[in-house]
Amino acid sequence: MLLKKLNGEQFKELTLNGALNLKANYAEVDTLNVFPVPDGDTGTNMLRTIQGGVNAVEKSAELNLGEMGKILSKGMLMGARGNSGVILSQIYRGICKGLEGKAEVDAVGLAKAYQIGVKQAYGAVVTPVEGTILTVFREAVEAAAKAVNKDSTINDFYEEHLKAAAKALKNTPNLLPVLKEAGVIDSGGAGYV
Protein backbone atom coordinates (compact mmCIF):
# COMPACT_ATOMS: atom_id res chain seq x y z
CA MET A 1 0.00 0.00 0.00
CA LEU A 2 1.43 3.37 -1.01
CA LEU A 3 1.11 6.04 1.67
CA LYS A 4 1.11 9.75 0.87
CA LYS A 5 0.88 10.61 4.58
CA LEU A 6 1.95 8.85 7.75
CA ASN A 7 -0.37 8.96 10.77
CA GLY A 8 0.04 7.77 14.34
CA GLU A 9 -1.50 4.36 13.81
CA GLN A 10 0.75 3.67 10.82
CA PHE A 11 3.82 4.91 12.70
CA LYS A 12 2.92 2.54 15.53
CA GLU A 13 2.71 -0.37 13.07
CA LEU A 14 6.06 0.55 11.52
CA THR A 15 7.63 0.59 14.97
CA LEU A 16 6.07 -2.72 16.00
CA ASN A 17 7.25 -4.38 12.79
CA GLY A 18 10.73 -2.88 13.15
CA ALA A 19 10.91 -4.29 16.68
CA LEU A 20 9.85 -7.73 15.40
CA ASN A 21 12.59 -7.57 12.76
CA LEU A 22 15.19 -6.69 15.39
CA LYS A 23 13.88 -9.47 17.64
CA ALA A 24 14.42 -11.95 14.80
CA ASN A 25 17.99 -10.73 14.25
CA TYR A 26 19.33 -9.44 17.58
CA ALA A 27 21.52 -12.50 18.23
CA GLU A 28 23.30 -12.00 14.91
CA VAL A 29 23.83 -8.33 15.81
CA ASP A 30 25.33 -9.45 19.14
CA THR A 31 27.95 -11.52 17.30
CA LEU A 32 29.16 -8.43 15.39
CA ASN A 33 29.83 -6.41 18.54
CA VAL A 34 33.49 -5.31 18.75
CA PHE A 35 33.16 -1.54 19.31
CA PRO A 36 33.40 0.27 21.67
CA VAL A 37 33.67 -2.87 23.84
CA PRO A 38 33.46 -6.44 22.51
CA ASP A 39 30.82 -7.50 25.02
CA GLY A 40 28.41 -9.12 22.57
CA ASP A 41 25.27 -7.34 23.73
CA THR A 42 24.51 -4.64 21.15
CA GLY A 43 21.54 -6.45 19.62
CA THR A 44 20.18 -7.38 23.03
CA ASN A 45 20.49 -3.79 24.27
CA MET A 46 18.85 -2.36 21.15
CA LEU A 47 16.02 -4.90 21.42
CA ARG A 48 15.40 -4.05 25.08
CA THR A 49 15.40 -0.36 24.20
CA ILE A 50 12.91 -0.59 21.35
CA GLN A 51 10.82 -3.03 23.38
CA GLY A 52 10.47 -0.32 26.04
CA GLY A 53 8.92 1.91 23.39
CA VAL A 54 6.78 -0.88 21.97
CA ASN A 55 5.42 -1.74 25.42
CA ALA A 56 4.45 1.90 25.91
CA VAL A 57 2.70 2.35 22.55
CA GLU A 58 0.94 -1.03 22.74
CA LYS A 59 -0.70 0.06 26.01
CA SER A 60 -1.85 3.33 24.47
CA ALA A 61 -5.02 4.03 22.51
CA GLU A 62 -3.43 7.24 21.16
CA LEU A 63 -3.69 7.67 17.39
CA ASN A 64 -2.22 11.15 16.93
CA LEU A 65 1.23 10.95 15.34
CA GLY A 66 2.89 13.55 17.55
CA GLU A 67 1.44 12.09 20.73
CA MET A 68 2.33 8.56 19.64
CA GLY A 69 5.89 9.79 19.14
CA LYS A 70 6.05 11.18 22.67
CA ILE A 71 4.88 7.86 24.12
CA LEU A 72 7.33 5.87 22.00
CA SER A 73 10.25 8.17 22.78
CA LYS A 74 9.64 8.12 26.53
CA GLY A 75 9.27 4.33 26.55
CA MET A 76 12.53 3.90 24.64
CA LEU A 77 14.38 6.32 26.88
CA MET A 78 13.17 4.52 30.00
CA GLY A 79 14.09 1.14 28.47
CA ALA A 80 17.46 2.21 27.04
CA ARG A 81 20.30 -0.22 27.71
CA GLY A 82 23.97 0.12 26.83
CA ASN A 83 25.59 2.57 24.41
CA SER A 84 23.69 1.28 21.40
CA GLY A 85 20.35 1.42 23.20
CA VAL A 86 20.94 4.94 24.44
CA ILE A 87 21.93 6.10 20.94
CA LEU A 88 18.88 4.36 19.45
CA SER A 89 16.63 6.05 22.01
CA GLN A 90 18.19 9.42 21.13
CA ILE A 91 17.64 8.81 17.41
CA TYR A 92 13.97 8.21 18.11
CA ARG A 93 13.80 11.08 20.58
CA GLY A 94 14.89 13.44 17.81
CA ILE A 95 12.57 11.92 15.21
CA CYS A 96 9.68 12.18 17.63
CA LYS A 97 10.56 15.81 18.43
CA GLY A 98 10.19 16.44 14.72
CA LEU A 99 6.73 14.87 14.79
CA GLU A 100 5.47 16.89 17.76
CA GLY A 101 2.20 18.68 17.17
CA LYS A 102 1.50 16.82 13.93
CA ALA A 103 -1.42 14.51 13.25
CA GLU A 104 0.30 13.24 10.11
CA VAL A 105 3.27 14.00 7.87
CA ASP A 106 4.15 13.59 4.23
CA ALA A 107 7.53 12.30 3.02
CA VAL A 108 9.15 15.75 3.23
CA GLY A 109 7.86 16.22 6.79
CA LEU A 110 9.10 12.77 7.73
CA ALA A 111 12.53 13.58 6.29
CA LYS A 112 12.66 16.75 8.40
CA ALA A 113 11.79 14.74 11.53
CA TYR A 114 14.56 12.25 10.75
CA GLN A 115 17.02 15.14 10.26
CA ILE A 116 16.17 16.27 13.78
CA GLY A 117 16.92 12.69 14.84
CA VAL A 118 20.41 13.01 13.38
CA LYS A 119 21.08 16.23 15.31
CA GLN A 120 19.71 14.72 18.52
CA ALA A 121 21.76 11.52 18.24
CA TYR A 122 25.04 13.28 17.40
CA GLY A 123 24.41 15.84 20.14
CA ALA A 124 23.83 13.11 22.73
CA VAL A 125 27.25 11.51 22.17
CA VAL A 126 30.24 13.28 23.73
CA THR A 127 32.65 12.14 21.02
CA PRO A 128 30.75 10.87 17.95
CA VAL A 129 32.65 8.16 16.07
CA GLU A 130 32.13 7.63 12.36
CA GLY A 131 31.66 4.07 11.18
CA THR A 132 28.98 3.42 13.80
CA ILE A 133 25.18 3.53 14.01
CA LEU A 134 25.49 7.32 13.87
CA THR A 135 27.04 7.20 10.40
CA VAL A 136 24.58 4.61 9.14
CA PHE A 137 21.62 6.64 10.37
CA ARG A 138 22.98 10.00 9.16
CA GLU A 139 23.85 8.80 5.67
CA ALA A 140 20.47 7.09 5.32
CA VAL A 141 18.66 10.26 6.39
CA GLU A 142 20.73 12.45 4.08
CA ALA A 143 20.02 10.22 1.07
CA ALA A 144 16.30 9.88 1.80
CA ALA A 145 15.87 13.59 2.47
CA LYS A 146 17.60 14.42 -0.80
CA ALA A 147 15.47 11.90 -2.72
CA VAL A 148 11.98 12.94 -1.57
CA ASN A 149 9.81 15.85 -2.66
CA LYS A 150 6.18 16.91 -2.27
CA ASP A 151 5.06 14.16 -4.66
CA SER A 152 6.94 11.36 -2.89
CA THR A 153 5.24 8.70 -0.81
CA ILE A 154 6.19 7.55 2.67
CA ASN A 155 7.21 4.32 0.94
CA ASP A 156 9.67 6.29 -1.23
CA PHE A 157 11.25 7.79 1.88
CA TYR A 158 11.71 4.44 3.64
CA GLU A 159 12.89 2.61 0.52
CA GLU A 160 15.61 5.20 -0.07
CA HIS A 161 16.44 5.32 3.64
CA LEU A 162 16.88 1.55 3.87
CA LYS A 163 18.92 1.34 0.66
CA ALA A 164 21.28 4.08 1.86
CA ALA A 165 21.51 2.58 5.37
CA ALA A 166 22.54 -0.79 3.93
CA LYS A 167 25.19 0.90 1.77
CA ALA A 168 26.51 2.91 4.73
CA LEU A 169 26.59 -0.20 6.92
CA LYS A 170 28.64 -2.09 4.36
CA ASN A 171 31.17 0.78 4.42
CA THR A 172 31.57 0.95 8.22
CA PRO A 173 34.77 -1.18 8.28
CA ASN A 174 36.41 1.39 6.00
CA LEU A 175 35.69 4.12 8.55
CA LEU A 176 36.47 2.31 11.78
CA PRO A 177 39.72 0.26 11.75
CA VAL A 178 38.67 -2.00 14.66
CA LEU A 179 35.80 -3.29 12.50
CA LYS A 180 38.11 -3.98 9.58
CA GLU A 181 40.56 -5.81 11.85
CA ALA A 182 37.75 -8.01 13.18
CA GLY A 183 36.24 -8.52 9.71
CA VAL A 184 32.79 -7.26 10.74
CA ILE A 185 30.37 -4.42 10.06
CA ASP A 186 29.24 -2.14 12.88
CA SER A 187 26.86 -3.95 15.20
CA GLY A 188 24.82 -0.86 16.13
CA GLY A 189 24.42 0.04 12.48
CA ALA A 190 23.40 -3.54 11.74
CA GLY A 191 20.83 -3.39 14.51
CA TYR A 192 19.46 -0.15 13.12
CA VAL A 193 19.13 -1.60 9.62
Side-chain angles (χ1 to χ4, degrees), residues 91 95 107-108 110-119 121-122 133-148 157-158 160-166 168 192:
I91 286 170
I95 293 168
V108 173
L110 187 61
K112 288 178 183 175
Y114 271 67
Q115 289 168 324
I116 293 170
V118 170
K119 289 178 186 167
Y122 271 84
I133 184 175
L134 292 170
T135 307
V136 172
F137 180 63
R138 178 183 49 77
E139 289 185 7
V141 171
E142 288 170 354
K146 191 182 289 187
V148 298
F157 173 84
Y158 281 116
E160 189 61 38
H161 185 80
L162 184 57
K163 182 172 71 174
Y192 179 77

Side-chain angles (χ1 to χ4, degrees), residues 78-132:
M78 299 306 288
R81 301 288 183 270
N83 288 333
S84 54
V86 170
I87 293 170
L88 185 64
S89 75
Q90 292 302 305
I91 286 170
Y92 273 87
R93 183 175 183 208
I95 293 168
C96 293
K97 276 184 187 178
L99 300 175
E100 278 182 20
K102 296 175 174 63
E104 60 183 21
V105 291
D106 62 7
V108 173
L110 187 61
K112 288 178 183 175
Y114 271 67
Q115 289 168 324
I116 293 170
V118 170
K119 289 178 186 167
Q120 178 71 37
Y122 271 84
V125 177
V126 176
T127 308
V129 175
E130 294 303 326
T132 65

Side-chain angles (χ1 to χ4, degrees), residues 38-57:
D39 50 11
D41 63 357
T42 294
T44 300
N45 288 336
M46 292 178 80
L47 180 60
R48 287 183 179 157
T49 301
I50 199 163
Q51 198 60 53
V54 164
N55 292 343
V57 297

Side-chain angles (χ1 to χ4, degrees), residues 146-161:
K146 191 182 289 187
V148 298
N149 59 52
K150 65 180 179 62
D151 297 320
S152 299
T153 64
I154 299 298
N155 310 63
D156 295 330
F157 173 84
Y158 281 116
E159 286 170 10
E160 189 61 38
H161 185 80

